[in-house]
């Protein structure tokens, strides 16, 4: 081990503590307190462990967990973009790429390259692992908004079609979980917490 390897790793560990300060729009389940990115990432990683049997294809669960734990680290620099934001794209941006290179670049080169590759894989959504990870990323806010009587849907006037469009990506990772999600969406319309035009 090179003498400065540990120091680089510790520097990265200290830097990612900032993820705890990135506040999301969605609130914790059955709560009015906004979730932070660290809580979100932890919850998604746990969801992936528990729900992995429902993946459409065989997956490397550890790789999925790594994706979910690091996917939002770029928001330390780039900030959290609300999924229904109409002014700023929620897709990978140059700002996020620069953030990934800066933050993961704090690590020794081999670890930096590994985490950048995993982050890119999540963003590209082509592998079975990335598809399942994205499904988890879309499912958690759905559960939160349902538990909070519409949550951000009500707060920001988000309609059924917008939500349905964003949540459909769940189907690419898990048809079974998508069936459940679709049922929740329809029940939310029936309850009046998600408006259908």
């Amino acid at each position: 081990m090179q003498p400065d390897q540990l120091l680089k790793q510790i520097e990265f560990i200290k830097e990612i503590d900032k993820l705890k300060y990135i506040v999301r729009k969605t609130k914790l389940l059955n709560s009015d307190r906004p979730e932070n990115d660290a809580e979100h990432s932890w919850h998604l990683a746990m969801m992936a462990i528990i729900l992995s049997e429902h993946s459409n294809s065989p997956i490397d669960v550890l790789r999925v967990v790594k994706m979910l734990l690091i996917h939002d680290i770029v928001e330390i620099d780039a900030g959290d973009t609300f999924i229904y934001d109409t002014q700023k794209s929620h897709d990978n941006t140059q700002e996020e790429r620069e953030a990934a290179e800066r933050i993961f670049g704090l690590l020794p080169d081999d670890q930096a390259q590994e985490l950048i590759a995993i982050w890119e894989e999540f963003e590209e959504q082509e592998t079975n692992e990335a598809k399942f990870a994205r499904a988890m990323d879309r499912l958690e806010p759905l559960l939160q908004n349902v538990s909070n009587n519409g949550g951000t849907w009500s707060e920001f006037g988000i309609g059924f079609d917008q939500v349905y469009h964003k949540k459909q990506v769940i189907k690419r990772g898990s048809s079974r979980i998508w069936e459940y999600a679709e049922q929740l969406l329809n029940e939310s319309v029936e309850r009046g917490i998600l408006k259908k035009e």
Side-chain angles (χ1 to χ4, degrees):
M1 180 169 79
Q2 297 179 3
D4 66 341
Q5 184 163 337
L6 176 61
L7 295 179
K8 286 181 176 181
Q9 292 165 330
I10 295 295
E11 194 57 35
F12 173 78
I13 287 166
K14 290 182 344 191
E15 182 68 11
I16 64 171
D17 188 68
K18 294 175 181 174
L19 204 61
K20 298 171 187 174
Y21 295 95
I22 307 299
V23 177
R24 297 169 47 82
K25 295 276 191 254
T26 49
K27 313 268 189 316
L28 300 175
L29 275 89
N30 302 304
S31 174
D32 61 358
R33 180 172 77 76
E35 176 181 53
N36 69 49
D37 267 355
E39 292 167 326
H40 171 67
S41 298
W42 165 81
H43 206 188
L44 297 184
M46 287 299 301
M47 289 168 60
I49 292 167
I50 301 303
L51 300 174
S52 62
E53 68 185 85
H54 303 291
S55 175
N56 287 340
S57 305
I59 52 173
D60 176 345
V61 178
L62 178 58
R63 189 161 186 86
V64 174
V65 167
K66 285 181 179 181
M67 275 182 206
L68 294 171
L69 289 175
I70 69 166
H71 80 290
D72 277 344
I73 284 177
V74 296
E75 293 183 1
I76 289 170
D77 289 357
D80 177 50
T81 302
F82 185 42
I83 193 167
Y84 302 107
D85 193 319
T86 56
Q87 305 302 312
K88 185 175 179 183
S89 171
H90 195 266
D91 295 329
N92 186 13
T93 64
Q94 183 59 31
E95 191 178 20
E96 289 177 335
R97 158 69 51 198
E98 290 168 7
E101 290 174 2
R102 182 193 75 77
I103 299 166
F104 297 131
L106 296 171
L107 286 163
D109 288 344
D110 59 335
Q111 288 182 316
Q113 293 313 309
E114 178 194 4
L115 295 191
I116 287 172
I118 291 170
W119 175 77
E120 288 172 339
E121 182 181 343
F122 176 82
E123 291 296 322
E124 291 164 5
Q125 301 177 54
E126 294 302 325
T127 65
N128 293 334
E129 286 78 11
K131 290 173 188 174
F132 191 73
R134 184 67 69 164
M136 299 298 96
D137 193 35
R138 292 290 195 266
L139 177 62
E140 191 221 24
L142 172 60
L143 299 175
Q144 291 167 324
N145 284 324
V146 169
S147 79
N148 290 317
N149 295 313
T152 55
W153 304 333
S154 300
E155 185 178 350
F156 297 99
I158 308 302
F160 176 85
D161 289 343
Q162 290 170 282
V163 176
Y164 193 89
H165 174 72
K166 292 291 186 183
K167 299 303 177 186
Q168 277 187 53
V169 74
I170 293 171
K171 187 175 6 180
R172 295 185 72 218
S174 172
S175 297
R176 175 66 193 99
I177 293 173
W178 170 243
E179 288 173 17
Y180 174 74
E182 206 171 17
Q183 179 183 334
L184 282 181
L185 291 171
N186 290 326
E187 288 172 1
S188 295
V189 171
E190 290 169 15
R191 288 174 55 198
I193 63 172
L194 182 59
K195 304 297 180 199
K196 199 169 192 176
E197 297 171 9

